[in-house]
DNA sequence: AGCACGCCGACT
DNA sequence: GTCGGCGTGCTC
């Protein structure tokens, strides 16, 4: 040791709730000593303020000149070590401020609220808010004799559910109290009082179920995952170097069509993980987090499942967090943010419907929960299972490059045939008797036939009336931006377009990205027809048209306007109990669970999804079409799907139609990518052009150059935008600030990205934050 | 994100 | 003369 060696001190690196690129180092006072560990919450001085931060590291070293001592270590929650490491990796991957990333993982309660919560937990046993009591009914073993129709329906319903709250019966049957009372008197039901559960997912008691016999492909998939899980435990034993040692995990793409039994594979994988003493995180798309799905898990695993959903109060969330980190519960199910669940001994991360866009956080810290799931699982040497019927290009690419193993469930589990998909070319097929072009003669007839067979139809339509596009109804030509290859949207010169809007003399078309403007041409530039019309309007009208055309049919509508939250389930329940003949709806009809009597699916306008101004539009359109199609024919009939379109030859539609029994796209990814995405540099230009002319020119040049560089490296899985590409980060004195973040397959950060990494970003006159995520796990 | 510091306009 | 505008930069 030399004499001039600087003084060494005990330092804690603290992530603070401010957008600083890195953690700040504080001196650890002697008296706090051992209690300062990674994950702990600490109180510290920041400028003239006092803030609560999270320790991400403790070390001996030379203190920075300005180092201040930590003030206090806070009791209560502490992030598990592995989670802290994960958060640091995430922050570095997305170039996001560590403090904001750490905040994602903390239970949502500020310090005061948290104190209050803890006090409540401590003192509420004796006195607190008494839980509300509700009446429950349970069926007895008694055998009924001659019951009225309603009574026997109610009794059957109760028997089917085991026991349930009376309010549930009222929901189902209307005024049910009197009938219930009679049934109780006759000894067929018993009544009991239970504490009200605020949590909608725990409203019913669930009978335990046992796993059904798997199909052959299911068995193979289960076995592969099981082996991988066992391997993680093996390697753990061997290396035994603690959580920091780099153990490779495995990633699976579970590619299964709708109804092929992916959930059963998940259930089995979770059971295996449990058996091996490993915990599981399962991510599902926001809308898929329904009581039905959750009940299926609870039926298998009982209450040892933490459901992290948006309806939880801060208190409930906090309790759940505690139970998870204490290891009392080893399975967490939730939307995107469940990625940060403090599961002990994590061994398995499942992402259901992995292609779903809700896994990508678009605000604040922009992260992709699917990509980070792989990272999180791998950091534990664990297993990540990505399930989808229509995998994202990113995931396909992982499978093709051998970074993920593909497990295929090619058939529907219950020996049902795949539906027959056919295209209705709207350029040639005219309107049906209603005269409405949205209801072609072929679709009209198909609905008639389905009604005659007393089966159900779903009519799917994309609702995007707020920004309609302009299409020629004769040749199908869509007006799109000459530079950006995205659909132009129609605007009335003043105000927005509405249902009643006609194109009129004031109609203009505008590009969402570059603000290119043009007047709506009176005649189609391609075929000179005068049938130029607005697309994406008239959705409400469709319901009315249908009601007129099929006066005896019972029609229901399902979209965000009509149904919010619980109503969705109600409407679907009505469909399930065959109270509805025709269901008209948006995306929402795609999700949720079985509708067994639907044999016809009509896609009113497949092109609406294609004309969304987003470079991913055609990939989404494809996924959407496959998903809607999956709703058809789950009974004894295979079902049929009619896809109305002006673009029958469009690759997204072709792919969807040919998405046959095996559900595979028999094309090289390269072809698919080239077909589905606009060329790279054009994309980059289009996005940046919308910022500001001069600035954008320079930035566009930079990004285009970088994009070409990425393209040159090959291995092009995807291109993603993880930052405010359209909206700049800040506008300072009329100058836009944006930030570029680029990644290539070879893990190198490209020029601007590197600058951002080294903190030079502040000095760049412009920074576009665009992530080109060629390989989502390139960092592994 | 806050917060202080700093250098230019209308006010008790 | 100074109160205050927010633009700029720093926070261990």
């Amino acid at each position: 040791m030399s004499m001039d060696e600087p003084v060494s001190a005990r330092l804690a690196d603290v992530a603070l709730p401010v957008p600083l690129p890195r953690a700040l180092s504080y001196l650890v006072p002697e008296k706090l000593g051992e209690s300062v560990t990674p994950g702990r919450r600490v109180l510290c001085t920041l400028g003239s303020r006092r803030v609560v931060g999270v320790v991400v590291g403790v070390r001996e070293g030379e203190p920075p000149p300005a180092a201040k001592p930590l003030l206090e270590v806070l009791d209560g929650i502490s992030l598990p070590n592995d989670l802290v490491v994960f958060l640091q990796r995430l922050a570095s991957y997305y170039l996001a401020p560590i403090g904001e990333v750490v905040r994602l993982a903390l239970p949502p309660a500020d310090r005061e609220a948290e104190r209050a919560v803890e006090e409540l937990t401590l003192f509420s046993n004796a006195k607190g808010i008494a839980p509300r009591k509700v009446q429950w009914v349970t069926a007895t073993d008694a055998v009924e004799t001659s019951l009225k129709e309603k009574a026997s329906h109610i009794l059957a319903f109760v028997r089917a559910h085991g026991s349930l709250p009376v309010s549930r019966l009222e929901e189902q049957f209307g005024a049910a109290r009197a009938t219930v009372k009679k049934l109780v008197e006759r000894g067929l039901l018993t009544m009991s009082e239970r504490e009200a559960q605020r949590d909608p997912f725990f409203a019913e008691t669930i009978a335990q179920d046992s796993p059904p016999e798997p199909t052959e492909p299911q068995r193979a998939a289960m076995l592969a995952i099981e082996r991988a899980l066992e391997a993680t435990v093996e390697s753990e034993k061997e290396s035994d170097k603690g959580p920091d040692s780099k153990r490779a995990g495995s990633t699976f793409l579970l590619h299964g069509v709708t109804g092929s039994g992916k959930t059963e594979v998940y259930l089995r994988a979770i059971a295996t993980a449990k058996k091996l003493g490993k915990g599981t995180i399962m991510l599902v798309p926001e809308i898929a987090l329904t009581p039905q799905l959750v009940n299926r898990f609870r039926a298998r695993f009982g209450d040892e499942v933490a459901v992290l959903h948006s309806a939880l109060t801060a208190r409930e969330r906090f309790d759940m967090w505690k139970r998870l980190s204490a290891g009392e519960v080893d399975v967490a199910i939730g939307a995107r943010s469940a990625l940060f669940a403090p599961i002990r001994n994590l061994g398995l991360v499942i992402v259901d419907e992995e292609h779903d866009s809700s896994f990508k956080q678009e605000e604040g810290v922009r992260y992709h929960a699917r990509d980070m799931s792989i990272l999180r699982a791998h950091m534990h040497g664990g297993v990540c299972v990505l399930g989808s019927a229509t995998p994202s290009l990113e995931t396909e690419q992982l499978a093709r490059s051998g970074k993920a193993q593909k497990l295929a469930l090619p058939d529907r589990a219950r020996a049902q045939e795949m539906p027959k998909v056919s295209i209705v070319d709207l350029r040639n097929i005219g309107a049906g008797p209603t005269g409405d072009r949205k209801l072609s003669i072929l679709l009209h007839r198909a609905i008639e036939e389905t009604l005659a067979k007393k089966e159900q139809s779903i009519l799917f339509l994309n609702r995007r009336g707020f920004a309609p596009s302009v299409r020629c109804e004769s040749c199908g030509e869509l007006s799109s931006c000459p530079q950006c290859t995205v659909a132009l949207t129609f605007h009335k010169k003043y105000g927005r377009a509405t249902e009643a809007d006609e194109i009129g003399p004031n109609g203009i078309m505008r590009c969402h990205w570059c603000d290119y403007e043009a007047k709506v041409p009176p005649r189609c530039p391609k075929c000179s027809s005068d049938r130029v019309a607005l697309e994406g309007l008239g959705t409400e009208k469709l319901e009315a048209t249908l009601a007129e055309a099929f006066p005896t049919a019972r029609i229901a509508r399902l979209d965000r306007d009509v149904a919010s939250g619980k109503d969705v389930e109600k409407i679907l329940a009505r469909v399930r109990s065959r109270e509805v003949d025709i269901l008209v709806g948006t995306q929402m009809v795609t999700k949720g669970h079985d509708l067994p009597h639907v044999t016809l699916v009509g896609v009113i306008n497949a092109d609406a999804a294609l004309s969304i101004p987003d470079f991913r539009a055609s990939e989404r359109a494809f996924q959407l079409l496959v998903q809607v199609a999956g709703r058809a024919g789950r009974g004894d009939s295979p079902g049929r799907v009619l896809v109305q379109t002006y673009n029958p030859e469009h690759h997204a539609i072709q792919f969807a139609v040919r998405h046959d029994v095996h559900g595979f796209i028999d094309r090289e990814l390269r072809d698919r990518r080239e077909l589905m995405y606009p060329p790279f540099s054009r994309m980059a230009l289009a996005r940046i052009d919308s910022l500001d002319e001069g600035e954008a020119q320079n930035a566009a040049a930079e990004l285009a150059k970088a994009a070409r560089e990425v393209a040159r490296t090959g291995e092009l899985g995807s291109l993603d935008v993880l930052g405010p590409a359209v909206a700049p980060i800040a506008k300072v004195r009329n100058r836009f600030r944006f930030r570029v973040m680029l990644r290539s397959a070879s893990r190198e950060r490209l020029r601007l990205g590197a600058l951002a990494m080294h903190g030079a970003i502040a000095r760049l006159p412009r920074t576009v934050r665009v992530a080109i995520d060629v390989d989502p796990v390139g960092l592994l």
Side-chain angles (χ1 to χ4, degrees):
Chain A
M1 274 190 210
S2 64
M3 293 301 287
D4 57 342
E5 177 159 325
V7 224
S8 186
R10 197 164 178 71
L11 298 171
D13 296 322
V14 183
L16 296 160
V18 287
L20 287 166
R22 44 172 227 96
L24 298 183
S25 305
Y26 285 83
L27 296 162
V28 180
E30 201 69 41
K31 58 178 176 180
L32 296 180
E34 297 310 301
S35 62
V36 180
T37 52
R40 268 258 115 83
R41 285 155 56 93
V42 287
L43 187 65
C44 33
T45 329
L46 179 68
S48 56
R49 302 174 283 161
R50 301 166 116 217
V51 290
V52 177
V54 173
V55 178
V56 294
V58 182
R59 64 199 166 89
E60 293 290 332
E62 184 196 345
K68 289 176 192 165
L70 288 179
L71 300 174
E72 215 181 304
V73 177
L74 303 174
D75 300 335
I77 55 163
S78 167
L79 297 182
N81 202 37
D82 60 280
L83 189 51
V84 173
V85 179
F86 170 63
L87 294 168
Q88 285 175 292
R89 298 276 305 268
L90 188 148
S92 111
Y93 187 71
Y94 291 114
L95 310 173
I98 181 68
E100 289 181 8
V101 173
V102 165
R103 196 155 48 178
L104 291 174
L106 289 169
D110 59 41
R111 204 165 146 252
E112 277 77 25
E114 200 181 294
R115 281 263 159 85
V117 165
E118 276 165 39
E119 274 158 20
L120 237 128
T121 348
L122 285 173
F123 304 116
S124 67
N125 289 346
K127 215 173 125 192
I129 315 120
R132 205 163 50 87
K133 300 274 186 197
V134 284
Q135 300 286 321
W136 279 56
V137 287
T138 312
T140 63
D141 294 333
V143 180
E144 72 268 35
T145 49
S146 65
L147 283 178
K148 286 206 185 101
E149 198 188 339
K150 187 169 187 181
S152 67
H153 278 152
I154 289 179
L155 184 59
F157 193 77
V158 177
R159 281 180 175 159
H161 287 258
S163 58
L164 69 176
V166 176
S167 58
R168 181 85 177 72
L169 290 175
E170 284 176 320
E171 258 172 41
Q172 191 76 24
F173 299 97
R177 280 221 125 80
T179 318
V180 168
K181 210 176 157 198
K182 280 223 180 77
L183 287 166
V184 171
E185 279 165 14
R186 296 179 63 165
L188 291 159
L189 293 179
T190 57
M191 208 117 120
S192 58
E193 255 189 2
R194 297 193 193 182
E195 284 181 10
Q197 273 287 2
R198 273 155 304 169
D199 190 334
F201 291 105
F202 285 73
E204 298 169 38
T205 47
I206 300 296
Q208 288 269 323
D209 86 333
S210 47
E213 198 55 30
T215 63
E216 215 21 72
Q218 276 179 321
R219 193 191 305 280
M222 287 166 182
L223 198 67
I225 296 169
E226 206 162 297
R227 289 254 168 82
L229 282 166
E230 280 160 3
T232 78
V233 178
E234 290 300 308
S235 75
E236 204 167 53
K237 273 187 207 148
E238 274 167 38
S239 68
D240 209 15
K241 286 174 206 148
D244 297 328
S245 70
K246 270 202 177 168
R247 274 178 274 116
S250 15
T251 306
F252 293 97
L253 161 55
L254 186 61
H255 188 176
V257 299
T258 323
S260 61
K262 291 191 291 288
T263 310
E264 195 50 46
V265 177
Y266 302 147
L267 288 164
R268 194 67 76 89
I270 295 171
T272 306
K274 271 176 173 281
K275 220 182 296 163
L276 296 166
K278 293 288 182 182
T280 302
I281 290 175
M282 172 148 156
L283 304 186
V284 296
E286 261 145 41
I287 6 152
L289 194 63
T290 60
Q292 276 191 34
L293 175 103
V294 170
N295 285 344
R296 217 168 142 190
F297 282 79
R298 288 188 60 230
R300 193 67 59 83
F301 303 117
D303 287 345
E304 292 157 44
V305 180
V307 182
L308 307 165
H309 56 88
S310 52
L312 290 180
T313 63
R315 160 80 188 271
E316 288 165 329
R317 224 169 267 265
F318 185 79
D319 288 348
M320 208 69 101
W321 202 93
K322 281 280 203 186
R323 290 176 66 205
L324 285 168
S325 67
E328 286 168 38
V329 181
D330 58 4
V331 179
I333 300 180
R336 193 173 55 219
S337 60
L339 171 67
F340 304 106
I343 287 270
R344 284 266 212 101
N345 237 329
L346 186 68
L348 175 65
V349 184
I350 297 168
V351 185
D352 188 30
E353 306 296 334
E354 98 14 78
H355 62 275
D356 194 281
S357 58
S358 73
F359 290 121
K360 188 166 128 194
Q361 173 129 75
E362 303 265 21
E363 293 178 331
V365 179
R366 287 163 191 258
Y367 64 94
H368 204 304
R370 177 234 297 139
D371 300 349
M372 289 301 105
S373 290
I374 302 175
L375 176 61
R376 186 145 192 221
H378 281 228
M379 284 177 64
H380 291 259
V383 173
C384 183
V385 179
L386 308 174
S388 176
T390 51
S392 60
L393 288 187
E394 289 90 332
T395 304
E396 282 252 7
Q397 173 63 10
L398 280 186
R400 279 162 200 255
S401 65
K403 293 189 177 178
Q405 191 186 330
K406 195 164 185 167
L407 305 169
L409 302 179
D411 303 304
R412 286 181 167 184
R414 275 151 284 163
Q416 291 139 331
E417 278 176 66
M418 290 300 285
K420 196 169 147 38
V421 183
S422 44
I423 285 179
V424 178
D425 184 346
L426 289 176
R427 295 171 306 186
N428 307 324
I429 309 292
T434 61
D436 187 336
R437 288 189 70 84
K438 287 188 193 65
L439 213 55
S440 70
I441 179 73
L442 290 182
L443 182 56
H444 191 101
R445 277 198 214 125
I447 296 172
E448 272 174 353
E449 285 162 23
T450 310
L451 284 172
K453 282 189 280 180
K454 301 250 184 277
E455 293 168 347
Q456 292 172 314
S457 310
I458 288 181
L459 298 183
F460 172 80
L461 40 88
N462 286 62
R463 162 188 291 279
R464 19 180 272 97
F466 53 90
S469 39
V470 180
R471 188 184 294 279
C472 168
E473 287 196 339
S474 183
C475 71
E477 174 80 356
L478 176 78
S479 298
S480 52
C481 177
Q483 289 178 55
C484 308
T485 63
V486 299
L488 295 171
T489 54
F490 175 81
H491 296 262
K492 238 175 135 173
K493 200 88 201 181
Y494 304 102
R496 292 195 310 189
T498 65
E499 283 286 317
D501 270 324
E502 299 283 314
I503 289 180
N506 286 330
I508 52 156
M509 306 178 296
R510 188 180 296 149
C511 172
H512 269 194
W513 284 352
C514 72
D515 284 339
Y516 166 89
E517 260 185 31
K519 282 190 100 167
V520 180
R523 289 184 169 274
C524 172
K526 200 171 155 203
C527 73
S528 311
S529 152
D530 60 354
R531 288 193 4 232
V532 176
L534 297 182
E535 176 171 281
L537 294 182
T539 52
E540 283 88 352
K541 219 181 80 194
L542 183 73
E543 199 188 354
T545 310
L546 282 168
E548 241 171 80
F550 308 104
T552 56
R554 295 162 298 175
I555 302 169
R557 198 171 118 200
L558 183 62
D559 57 38
R560 266 283 120 82
D561 293 349
V562 187
S564 63
K566 276 183 276 177
D567 300 344
V568 177
E569 277 306 312
K570 265 190 210 164
I571 292 176
L572 289 176
R574 277 178 53 214
V575 178
R576 227 168 279 127
S577 60
R578 309 187 82 151
E579 289 165 50
V580 171
D581 300 311
I582 303 174
L583 178 66
V584 182
T586 55
Q587 318 256 3
M588 292 173 94
V589 302
T590 314
K591 316 283 173 178
H593 273 265
D594 304 4
L595 296 175
H597 308 295
V598 173
T599 55
L600 172 70
V601 167
V603 178
I604 300 299
N605 180 2
D607 309 324
L610 289 173
S611 43
I612 291 169
D614 183 305
F615 78 100
R616 243 181 248 276
S618 71
E619 183 179 8
R620 290 230 186 93
F622 160 75
Q623 291 166 341
L624 205 59
L625 285 174
V626 173
Q627 224 122 95
V628 207
R631 298 247 77 160
R634 309 214 42 199
D636 34 14
S637 144
R640 54 199 287 225
V641 181
L642 290 188
V643 179
Q644 299 192 139
T645 174
Y646 287 103
N647 283 301
E649 69 291 328
H650 192 286
H651 50 272
I653 289 170
Q654 284 293 321
F655 283 144
V657 170
R658 282 194 251 128
H659 187 88
D660 58 4
V661 176
H662 295 287
F664 299 139
I665 301 136
D666 291 328
R667 289 272 200 146
E668 285 305 303
L669 183 70
R670 179 182 294 276
D671 295 347
R672 204 176 142 202
R673 191 244 310 161
E674 276 165 13
L675 284 168
M676 291 226 180
Y677 292 164
F680 243 49
S681 47
R682 267 164 82 195
M683 225 290 307
L685 284 164
R687 281 171 183 271
I688 292 170
D689 273 354
S690 62
L691 296 179
D692 165 298
E693 284 145 280
E695 297 289 314
Q697 285 300 320
N698 298 330
E702 292 286 353
L703 189 57
K705 202 162 66 186
R708 273 196 296 278
E709 177 64 19
V710 176
R712 199 181 53 76
T713 62
E715 281 270 314
L716 213 47
S718 78
L719 178 149
D720 202 355
V721 176
L722 286 149
V726 177
I729 290 169
K731 192 175 173 181
V732 181
R733 252 193 283 131
N734 250 356
R735 288 174 66 202
F736 292 98
R737 256 198 204 174
F738 35 108
R739 186 185 301 165
V740 170
M741 183 175 110
L742 300 169
R743 278 170 213 292
S744 74
S746 53
R747 281 191 224 186
E748 287 160 22
R749 280 165 184 141
L750 291 157
R751 231 191 84 207
L752 293 172
L755 288 170
M757 278 301 285
H758 294 110
I761 201 74
R763 261 160 275 134
L764 280 178
R766 68 193 104 78
T767 42
V768 186
R769 195 167 148 189
V770 177
I772 296 183
D773 238 346
V774 172
D775 176 354
V777 279
L779 78 173
L780 284 175

